[in-house]
Amino acid sequence: MLLPLAEARERVLGPLEPLPTERLPLADARGRVLGAEVVAPSDVPSFPNSAMDGYALRAEDTTEAPVVLEVLGTVLAGQAPNVPVTPGGAVRIMTGAPLPAGADAVCMVELTEPAGPDRVRIAQAVPPGEHVRWPGDDLRAGQVVLRAGEVLNPASLGVLASIGVREVEVVRRPLVGVWSTGDELSEDPGPLAVGRIRDSNRPALLARLAADGFATLDLGILRDDEAVVARALREAAERCDALVTSGGVSVGDRDVVRLVLDEVSGGEMAWMQVAIKPAKPFGFGRLGSRRIPLFGLPGNPVSSLVSYELFVRPALRRLAGHARVDRPVLAGVTEEPLPRRPDGKVHFLRVACRIREDGTLGVRSAGGQASHQLHGMAAAQGLAVVPDGTGLPAGAPVSVLLVEADDLPGPGLTESLGVADLASAGSGGGPRR
Ligand code: AMP
Ligand code: MG
């Protein structure tokens, strides 16, 4: 019986809870997930100040502009004003300097000119509040600034610094152990003996985990020796927050991995056949005294990465406290037919994506679609979700799970600014030869 993907995901994701929190200095918190909401202790800005270099004045004194005002003093950023603005007067002010008492607006310096000693000519009427940043403009005291489950991006670290936060409570980053299984796997750099292959799953999964913000532990290749595998698993289960293995999870697989995992988990492994292609076989269980999640991924290289995307990544993001566990799914359009055969499964095809002139996402097959053809995965930015049936013709709508969004080909900022000529003549377009 094939298990629908949604059900399989619910079995895995349903029971998982975020890890405990820890306190970190801001400098170490980038990319981490907030464990508790942060409230602003006071207004930001905390005092009215100038958004421009110019003259602080009373707006009502400028209604008959041009007018000449008396310059009563100067206030620089970081200083307390030492004179108030009285009727007919102005105080020279720099950006960020506190607005002197009596002033309610700032005339920018470009609209002024000297008019004799200690006099300034204001060219235009200045509306009340012009170029003034009022207290609480950015944040109000008591306001929730950031919520639990949010990722700390560089700007949010700046926000925290702006309210005087030096340490922040974040969810502990999951440490994920990764190993490979299979007697065919070789680590020897020399030529391969007949029947041996290189271990590509472990480096790919370790890199994927690191790119997704998780800490990793490389547990190497576990050979088919029950006692060795069992001991390695028990040790890893005490050190790590989650474990990922690939290979040996198919029906009828003779690898000892399944047997050992059943034993070590006390029978807690669920071996599923999920209604998807690739990545149909999948094992999930809890291990050790902390009942950490263990993911048994299929051995085929593409399958292990697709299984990672559909199960492991969202599960680990739940452990890591993310409010949002899944990658974005975009509405794409096929630019060529994406054929498949009916088999009761949802297919996740590796597709090369591009943003078209009209902003829609165009998708094409990224290469061979068999589960050992890792090259196609490397060339893909997305996984196209192709429902059971005979596939999609060209021009059909298709949902795309975007797995590599940063380098999507398509119009960039230069083109959208309407300077296409510069773009083609200029420096864009990859390395020069
Ligand atoms: P299995 O799930 O163990 O039956 O393996 C399925 C296929 O994936 C076989 O062709 C294995 O040789 C291959 N495979 C298993 N583990 C790895 C690995 N770590 N790296 C590359 N290929 C693998
Ligand atoms: Mg195997």
Side-chain angles (χ1 to χ4, degrees), residues 181-182 184 247-248 253 255:
T181 66
E184 71 276 33
D253 205 298
D255 286 342

Side-chain angles (χ1 to χ4, degrees), residues 19 22 29 40 54 114 150 157 171 177 234 274 291 299 384 395 410:
L19 296 176
E22 62 185 351
E150 277 187 55
L157 294 176
V171 181
R234 289 205 172 89
V274 189
R291 295 179 43 76

